[in-house]
């Protein structure tokens, strides 16, 4: 068994972040805190993703289901069919292959825990 405190996990910069539609506040960024890394589980991969104000993932899909658990701030999760505001305590379930994006609102940072299958790969665009 392994128990971690999120505050103790190192925060590492991620590659570029896409700004929310209409964003005029300059560059946006994201960081990742790995909870269950590649090779640590035969079933899952999990991280905390911290979105600075106005930062999103941009459009993408996964070859497995994805679960998001919002831990701070306010954000958005969107598919090609709907867009929903998410906040602390909300859990979003995105089905494998569903094109979507998620991230912080223009006026709020946001953090969420993401859970995907071990070895899964995202497709961007």
């Amino acid at each position: 068994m392994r128990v971690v405190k999120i505050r103790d996990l190192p925060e590492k910069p991620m590659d570029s972040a896409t700004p929310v539609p209409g964003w005029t506040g300059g560059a946006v960024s994201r960081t990742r805190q790995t909870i269950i890394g590649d090779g640590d589980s035969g079933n899952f991969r999990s991280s905390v993703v911290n979105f600075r104000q106005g930062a999103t993932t941009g459009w993408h899909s996964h070859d497995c289901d994805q679960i998001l658990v919002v831990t701070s701030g306010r954000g958005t999760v969107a598919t090609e069919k709907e867009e929903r505001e998410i906040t602390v305590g909300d859990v979003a379930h995105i089905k494998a292959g569903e094109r979507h994006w998620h991230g912080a609102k223009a006026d709020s940072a946001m953090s969420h825990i993401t859970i995907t299958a071990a070895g899964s790969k995202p497709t961007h665009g």
Side-chain angles (χ1 to χ4, degrees), residues 50-62:
N50 304 293
F51 295 83
R52 300 297 183 248
Q53 188 173 327
T56 79
T57 60
W59 286 103
H60 66 285
S61 62
H62 299 270

Side-chain angles (χ1 to χ4, degrees), residues 2-3 6 24 26 33 55 65 73 84-85 90-92 94 99 110 119-120 123-124:
R2 179 174 167 254
V3 177
I6 292 172
T24 59
Q33 296 170 275
D65 287 9
R84 301 274 302 268
E85 182 169 319
D90 288 345
V91 179
I94 300 121
R99 191 168 178 256
M110 183 196 66
S120 64
T123 301
H124 298 279

Side-chain angles (χ1 to χ4, degrees), residues 74-90:
R74 290 184 314 106
T76 300
V77 61
T79 67
E80 293 176 310
K81 296 178 183 174
E82 70 177 313
E83 187 172 304
R84 301 274 302 268
E85 182 169 319
I86 50 178
T87 190
V88 176
D90 288 345

Side-chain angles (χ1 to χ4, degrees), residues 15-29:
D15 55 357
S16 64
T18 302
V20 295
W23 175 256
T24 59
V28 295
S29 65

Side-chain angles (χ1 to χ4, degrees), residues 55-75:
T56 79
T57 60
W59 286 103
H60 66 285
S61 62
H62 299 270
D63 58 4
C64 67
D65 287 9
Q66 181 181 35
I67 299 168
L68 306 175
V69 182
V70 182
T71 59
S72 69
R74 290 184 314 106

